[in-house]
Amino acid sequence: MKSTQDSSRTNLPDDGTNDQQQFGDSPTEVRDTDHYTQEYVTSFVEKWDELIDWDKRAESEGRFFVDQLKSRGAKTVLDVATGTGFHSVRLLEEGFETVSADGSADMLTKAFENARARGGHVLRVIHADWRWLNRDVQGEYDAIICLGNSFTHLFSEKDRRKALAEFYAVLKHDGVLILDQRNYDALLDGAYSNRHTYYYCGDTVTAEPEYVDAGLARFCYTFPDRSRYHLNMYPLRRDYVRTLMREVGFAHVETYSDFQDTHPEGEPDFFIHVAEKA
Ligand code: SAM
């Protein structure tokens, strides 16, 4: 099958490698927090919803996040990793006052279009990097969500601490941060299996680790038209994230495995940290 990208026009190699992402001559040396804006290139953003499949994702998540937020009386929610808007729209549908932030303008544009198309919602968007969130976000929120394995884009501990401190500051005195991550412990320890059940639910897209060491997990995403994209991410260990959250001041951190209280059979795909200020 020929790639739908016009390789004669773009001189693409026939393996489907996209021509927008730039990782240079040594892709596994790219370990830079700022690089995420160059990874979520327009054509990848356009394809993101094939990867996450909104309907299947809604089904597999069920009411987990909604119930976590409602049980704490949260009304105002800042989605700091809006992406194409899946959770922002889900929370608007449930009546939360939701504001949608992201460091990628392309993502926010796509999220705005998606929200319009799915229920006629008008997203309130803020283009902001987490490391300087308080510069761009006004007011305080009951809750922050940072979902879809987004925190993994921060490559230095300084950036992780800075982002968590910015999240902490935007929350009310009794606010909650809900942040998830891929189970990198399994990947680093050689027990990885991604069943695609929970997060990246699209059947037609493969998301596979291409390179892993203690400082980098490089994943390759292959789409039905054979186009391929990469993300370079920092492999966060579960307990490390929990420790960081406590060290920036969160009083309680509860960690769920794949939306369940108890540890499911086998290795979970994802961990979800629910960090309370009070
Ligand atoms: N939450 C969405 C989902 O689950 O589909 C999107 C997840 S996507 C893996 C990660 C998102 O985080 C991207 O939209 C990216 O632009 C954003 N992001 C990564 N690093 C960021 C940073 N330092 N500041 C703000 N946004 C960032």
Side-chain angles (χ1 to χ4, degrees), residues 4 39 67 71 81 115-116 138 175 179 184 188 199 213-214 223 226 241:
T4 56
E39 296 179 21
D67 289 347
S71 68
R116 266 271 161 85
Q138 254 85 70
L179 182 151
Y184 287 115
L188 292 165
Y199 273 82
D213 67 27
F223 290 85
R226 294 180 64 251
V241 176

Side-chain angles (χ1 to χ4, degrees), residues 17-37:
T17 314
N18 76 87
D19 63 338
Q20 286 194 331
Q21 288 186 318
Q22 304 292 340
F23 284 96
D25 293 337
S26 306
T28 58
E29 294 308 311
V30 178
R31 297 163 187 234
D32 174 13
T33 297
D34 290 325
H35 200 257
Y36 76 94
T37 51

Side-chain angles (χ1 to χ4, degrees), residues 82-176:
T82 296
T84 54
F86 174 80
H87 287 107
S88 289
V89 171
R90 178 86 181 87
L91 296 186
L92 283 169
E93 283 168 353
E94 290 285 341
F96 292 97
E97 274 176 52
T98 311
V99 174
S100 307
D102 201 289
S104 157
D106 276 344
M107 280 292 197
L108 288 175
T109 303
K110 186 70 187 168
F112 193 83
E113 290 167 7
N114 278 341
R116 266 271 161 85
R118 292 168 182 263
H121 303 286
V122 179
L123 279 197
R124 291 166 61 197
V125 298
I126 302 176
H127 186 204
D129 189 288
W130 308 325
R131 291 165 290 172
W132 302 280
L133 197 64
N134 284 269
R135 192 180 61 187
D136 300 305
V137 171
Q138 254 85 70
E140 288 184 329
Y141 288 80
D142 298 323
I144 290 180
I145 57 169
C146 181
L147 301 176
N149 195 35
S150 297
F151 198 65
T152 185
H153 285 293
L154 300 172
F155 268 93
S156 72
E157 179 155 320
K158 183 168 160 261
D159 288 337
R160 282 172 223 124
R161 285 185 186 279
K162 175 91 171 95
L164 286 175
E166 294 279 320
F167 296 166
Y168 189 92
V170 166
L171 287 170
K172 289 185 185 156
H173 75 279
D174 57 351
V176 63

